Structure formats: structure tokens, C-alpha cells
Amino acid sequence: MSRSETLSPSLIATKQEEAINAQTLNKRVNLASIEILDENHVLINGTKIKMFGNAFGDLIKVLGLPKSFTQELENLFNRRSKLAFINRLSQAVATLGKTKSVNAIVSPQSKTIVGFTQSSNLISNETFFELADKITEGQGLDVTNIYNDPSNGKAIMNLRFDNPSNIKGLTNEAFTPGLTLSNIPGTGIQVSPFMQRLWCANGCSTSMVKESYQLEDLSSDGMNKFFNHIKSLRENNFIPAGYGDMVRGASATPASIREVDRAYNIIKSAAGESVADKLTQRTRNYNAYSEKGIDFQGKKQYAESNQSVWSLVNAITYTGSNSDNLGLEAGLEDDTKGELQVTAGNILTSNYDLKARVDSPFGGLNLDNQIGLLMN
């Protein structure tokens, strides 16, 4: 059984300083001064600036347009017409609407815009860590990881509650609960359950609705609700309701070939093809179908693999938590480790392709029992 070490005070201070130095800058700009060139570039007061991540989607949201509507525009016309329409709408909103300006969130390291928001009450990483200190104080929580993404200023902190728990009915499935605290520019501070699997020290953050909380501003009301939420989680030892059932369900559900492909591509982007194939058994599954002459193209979500959903979740978290054991030429960056942790949690809490199946008591079809075929 394995467990990750907690961070020393000096390492915590170093990683916090790195995150604070990488935090985003906020610039209020007039909406009328913005012209969208494409999904990755804008002109602001005549200066061309690159957009990164979900910045384009944020700007669309500020204008009050649903994402599905902009996609439909492109389907009906073309990309150029879509952008022209959005720019005209932006000018109209700036002239006639209530939104005269927006907050552009800029990464000082990548020199790109990483988001737009109407709010001006953005939470700095410095304030984020001050809140984290208040949360850990007297709660029995230890810091196991701090990740920061210098490209967009995002900071993630994992806190472990040193009280191991077992998942009934499963062998080698013990975990320590805790919290993942994330500060995302333009979104705010999010609290999510953090589960660390003791067998191999994998870490997984899950956005389970009941236990997750979003702090969007530092108002008295917002802070009171935030700390009341932390208190309620502590009363349950930071273990999310239904977590055991979720793990048992993922362990008992075969992953589809589509889900194997997804896990393979996630790991491949971080650690390369060889590691991804070894951990997901993708080639073995493809070969098994090929040898039987079964074509699953276009039906991958219905094709059963030899992996469980839980196995794929742990393959992803293992990549992020134990990258030093994968034989990589260079270790994974903090932002990549954090994304793997969150992505794995999203898969765990998703609707699995083959979840709706009902176990059969017959073990396959027996021709002797096909009454309709015998009626001739």
C-alpha cells in the first residue's frame, strides 16, 4: 500500500510563490474597442492579441449568446459570416445594452488573453492561498500537492484528511479523503472532493454536485456560505456521499472502446503512445475485435473492452501522480498533472457508455432455448 508524502512548509511556500508570480492580470476594456478576428485572436484598440483556452467562449457568454447558437450560425453560413455577426452584435451591445465594458484576463507569461468576464471582483492567487490556510487550520488537513498553470494563472491545491477509509466489497480499494481547491481566473475558487487511492497513491478530484462549491466573490455573504460548506464537509470527514457506490459501479462496468480511446488519448497527450497503450490496453482490444472479424467503427460506444471504467480512471490518475515511474525523458509539468487529476474525476462522475446494461442470468444465448426458431 502506498501513499504520497505531504509537502514541507518550505516547498509549499515555493510553490505558492510560483503560482502568485504566474497569476493573471485584469484589464477593463470597452466592449466597443474589441473586434474578433477568429476564435484565437482579437483586436483591442487596434492591437492584435492572441486568445487562449476558453477566452472566445467567455466573450460569447458576455454577449449573452449560447454556444449552440454560434455553432448553428456557422452551420447555416460560414465562419466569416459568423464572426461578422458576432462583431456587429458586440457593437450593438456596447451602444445600446447595459454591458459597456468587460474584464480581459491576461496571462503575463504567455502574453495572451485567457478569459473574459463581466465581473471585476476577481480573486488573486495570493488571496486564494490565504483562504486555503484558514481552511487547513485546525481541520486535520495536510497539503499533498500544489499545481499551477503559468499559461493561464490557474492554481490547484490538494488537501488530504489523514483518515483512511475502505470501500466495502472491493479488495485493495482504500482511500484517504480530502479537498481539491482550485482558483480559476474569471470563474473563482472551487472546492471539490479529493480522493487519494492508497494502493498506489493516485489522486482524483471529483466534481460531485452536493460536495462541490463555487466562491465567485469575497462578499461577507459569499464567505459565510463558503466556510459553512467546508464545515459541513468536515462533519462527514470530507467523504462525499455515494462515493463508494460510484467506485463499485465504475469497477463493475466494462469500459466501451470509445472510453478506452478517450483514456488513451488523454494519457498519450501527457506521456506518449507507449505509456498510453500499456495503461489502457488499446491495441490488445483492437486486435481482439479484428481477430474475430468484428467491425465496431461508428459503434464504439456499444463495443465492450476488457477494461473497467475504474481501471481507466486509475490509469489516468496514475499517469499524473506517478509520472516519475513511467520512464519519461522529462517529468510532467504541474498543470498537466492537475488536468489529469480533474479529467479522471470527470470520467468517474460521467454517464458510462455501458452503464445501462442489465446483467444477464443466462450467460449468452442458447440455441435450444430459442422457441420461436423451433416453431416450424
Side-chain angles (χ1 to χ4, degrees):
M1 184 174 291
S2 174
R3 61 184 298 170
S4 66
E5 299 295 328
T6 58
L7 300 187
S8 67
S10 60
L11 185 54
I12 290 174
T14 298
K15 286 185 170 290
Q16 288 180 343
E17 183 178 1
E18 291 174 353
I20 291 171
N21 291 336
Q23 70 186 13
T24 54
L25 305 175
N26 308 308
K27 175 71 173 177
R28 201 73 186 177
V29 297
N30 292 327
L31 196 56
S33 69
I34 300 176
E35 179 184 351
I36 302 173
L37 300 179
D38 54 43
E39 283 85 349
N40 299 308
H41 298 88
V42 290
L43 281 178
I44 297 181
N45 293 320
T47 300
K48 184 178 180 180
I49 305 176
K50 186 175 181 179
M51 294 189 292
F52 178 82
N54 199 42
F56 177 76
D58 288 346
L59 186 53
I60 296 302
K61 184 178 179 180
V62 167
L63 294 175
L65 291 176
K67 184 177 180 180
S68 58
F69 177 75
T70 58
Q71 184 60 51
E72 188 63 25
L73 277 177
E74 188 169 326
N75 293 338
L76 291 174
F77 303 104
N78 55 49
R79 180 167 297 182
R80 179 178 296 180
S81 298
K82 178 188 75 172
L83 295 175
F85 174 84
I86 294 173
N87 282 320
R88 283 196 293 270
L89 177 64
S90 176
Q91 296 301 311
V93 170
T95 303
L96 304 173
K98 295 181 179 180
T99 304
K100 303 295 183 181
S101 63
V102 296
N103 208 43
I105 305 170
V106 182
S107 167
Q109 297 201 14
S110 64
K111 303 297 190 296
T112 61
I113 294 176
V114 297
F116 289 94
T117 178
Q118 288 179 295
S119 173
S120 57
N121 299 320
L122 301 181
I123 301 173
S124 69
N125 282 340
E126 188 171 13
T127 300
F128 167 65
F129 289 123
E130 290 174 357
L131 284 174
D133 287 342
K134 292 180 181 179
I135 292 172
T136 57
E137 186 177 350
Q139 298 287 353
L141 292 164
D142 298 313
V143 180
T144 61
N145 300 104
I146 297 177
Y147 304 130
N148 75 86
D149 188 342
S151 66
N152 62 14
K154 179 169 65 176
I156 298 176
M157 174 182 278
N158 292 331
L159 307 174
R160 186 183 70 196
F161 182 60
D162 199 6
N163 185 27
S165 298
N166 292 302
I167 296 178
K168 295 179 180 179
L170 295 179
T171 304
N172 296 330
E173 290 301 345
F175 68 95
T176 51
L179 298 175
T180 292
L181 306 179
S182 305
N183 189 31
I184 305 173
T187 301
I189 295 176
Q190 179 172 316
V191 179
S192 303
F194 173 69
M195 300 293 121
Q196 186 177 68
R197 188 173 181 239
L198 290 182
W199 184 250
C200 54
N202 293 356
C204 176
S205 292
T206 65
S207 297
M208 300 177 76
V209 176
K210 184 178 179 181
E211 284 79 15
S212 296
Y213 189 86
Q214 191 83 28
L215 178 65
E216 298 177 351
D217 60 62
L218 300 176
S219 65
S220 296
D221 182 59
M223 294 293 287
N224 286 335
K225 291 179 179 178
F226 179 75
F227 280 103
N228 284 336
H229 181 76
I230 300 297
K231 181 181 178 182
S232 68
L233 294 177
R234 176 64 179 84
E235 290 172 351
N236 197 37
N237 291 329
F238 300 104
I239 300 174
Y243 182 73
D245 290 337
M246 183 177 295
V247 172
R248 282 188 289 271
S251 181
T253 303
S256 69
I257 294 296
R258 181 171 71 172
E259 289 166 332
V260 168
D261 280 351
R262 181 185 180 190
Y264 170 85
N265 288 325
I266 290 168
I267 297 173
K268 174 185 172 183
S269 66
E273 293 182 5
S274 177
V275 172
D277 194 55
K278 178 182 178 180
L279 294 180
T280 64
Q281 298 290 290
R282 181 175 183 265
T283 296
R284 181 179 178 184
N285 277 274
Y286 271 64
N287 287 344
Y289 274 87
S290 178
E291 290 169 3
K292 293 291 185 179
I294 303 173
D295 181 12
F296 53 58
Q297 295 304 320
K299 299 173 289 187
K300 290 184 178 182
Q301 66 270 38
Y302 308 117
E304 183 178 315
S305 74
N306 71 342
Q307 299 294 293
S308 69
V309 173
W310 183 234
S311 176
L312 296 183
V313 167
N314 279 281
I316 296 170
T317 58
Y318 183 88
T319 304
S321 302
N322 300 274
S323 58
D324 293 342
N325 299 328
L326 298 176
L328 304 178
E329 292 184 4
L332 301 183
E333 297 292 335
D334 277 356
D335 58 311
T336 301
K337 293 179 180 179
E339 287 300 321
L340 289 169
Q341 169 186 304
V342 173
T343 300
N346 290 339
I347 292 175
L348 178 61
T349 56
S350 67
N351 290 320
Y352 315 141
D353 285 341
L354 301 177
K355 187 175 183 179
R357 299 187 328 156
V358 175
D359 292 336
S360 170
F362 300 110
L365 295 177
N366 185 329
L367 290 178
D368 292 335
N369 295 332
Q370 310 309 302
I371 305 300
L373 298 179
L374 301 176
M375 302 297 290
N376 53 31

